[in-house]
Amino acid sequence: MNIDNTQSQMRKGVLEFCILSIIKQGEAYPSDIIEKMKEAKLDILEGTLYPLLTRLKNAEYLTYRWVESSSGPPRKYFSMTDKGESFYKVLEATWNELANAVHQLTQQSESHQ
């Protein structure tokens, strides 16, 4: 088995939740999302982010507005919809259950060593 592939799959599983967590804090521009993800040591490429944002928008979890920019083309700022808020709450509960279960299992294995 390839450790890089396993690590990549683990990260992919939490990308949507992390991106929605950033947008939940307030309207976000994609490059700001990328920067916040990098600060958290979860690097994401534009080629991964944009399709994910489009999928979340098409599912009506996100909306966006165009903002004129003095240094180039207009910018698309994303925010969460009410439907997105509900979806986020389910993801948050799922994450908490999963994180608690993993923590419990890994603590058990450490205590048996």
Side-chain angles (χ1 to χ4, degrees):
M1 279 184 63
N2 181 337
I3 189 65
D4 291 336
N5 185 51
T6 301
Q7 290 173 321
S8 175
Q9 291 302 315
M10 290 173 79
R11 285 188 181 102
K12 280 182 188 174
V14 297
L15 274 183
E16 269 185 32
F17 180 53
C18 292
I19 289 165
L20 287 172
S21 294
I22 292 168
I23 295 171
K24 187 177 185 336
Q25 296 168 29
E27 200 173 51
Y29 181 62
S31 64
D32 297 333
I33 295 170
I34 290 170
E35 188 59 36
K36 286 183 180 183
M37 294 287 283
K38 280 183 183 173
E39 287 170 10
K41 308 283 189 264
L42 282 173
D43 288 348
I44 184 172
L45 301 172
E46 283 184 16
T48 302
L49 178 62
Y50 282 98
L52 200 88
L53 290 171
T54 299
R55 209 167 61 242
L56 292 167
K57 182 193 73 65
N58 289 343
E60 299 176 352
Y61 299 143
L62 297 179
T63 188
Y64 64 86
R65 69 181 180 100
W66 291 101
V67 176
E68 290 298 323
S69 171
S70 58
S71 61
R75 294 178 166 198
K76 195 185 279 190
Y77 282 84
F78 288 86
S79 57
M80 204 173 297
T81 63
D82 290 342
K83 188 175 179 180
E85 292 275 353
S86 298
F87 180 67
Y88 180 84
K89 286 177 185 170
V90 173
L91 285 182
E92 185 176 41
T94 303
W95 170 255
N96 288 333
E97 287 173 19
L98 184 60
N100 289 335
V102 169
H103 182 73
Q104 180 181 344
L105 292 169
T106 56
Q107 292 306 101
Q108 286 177 354
S109 67
E110 289 174 10
S111 65
H112 286 90
Q113 291 179 358

